[in-house]
Amino acid sequence: ETHYHKLSTEINLLISGKMKIQNKILTSGDIFIIHPYEVADPVFLEDCQVICVKTPSSPDDKYVLE
């Protein structure tokens, strides 16, 4: 889903697969960071595994855009 966070910064590691986010193509081993109020618009081009660390961790800090 296209979304953003008001509080959290997301630090992401693409473990496997291929995806597009922020108009960039990423492959296994790439790291990408999403800052507060930056819209995340992921498109998964293959099956992907992503490790995501949110700091601060706030389960209710996700705002989906339609």
Side-chain angles (χ1 to χ4, degrees), residues 14-61:
L14 182 57
I15 298 294
S16 64
K18 184 176 179 181
M19 66 181 288
K20 179 179 178 182
I21 190 162
Q22 316 312 64
N23 292 317
K24 296 177 186 171
I25 302 292
L26 304 176
T27 57
S28 300
D30 286 340
I31 294 172
F32 60 100
I33 299 173
I34 307 296
H35 298 280
Y37 290 96
E38 182 178 0
V39 174
D41 60 345
V43 176
F44 298 98
L45 305 172
E46 299 176 357
D47 286 339
C48 292
Q49 291 183 330
V50 180
I51 293 176
C52 176
V53 176
K54 285 176 51 178
T55 181
S57 179
S58 179
D60 297 325
D61 184 38

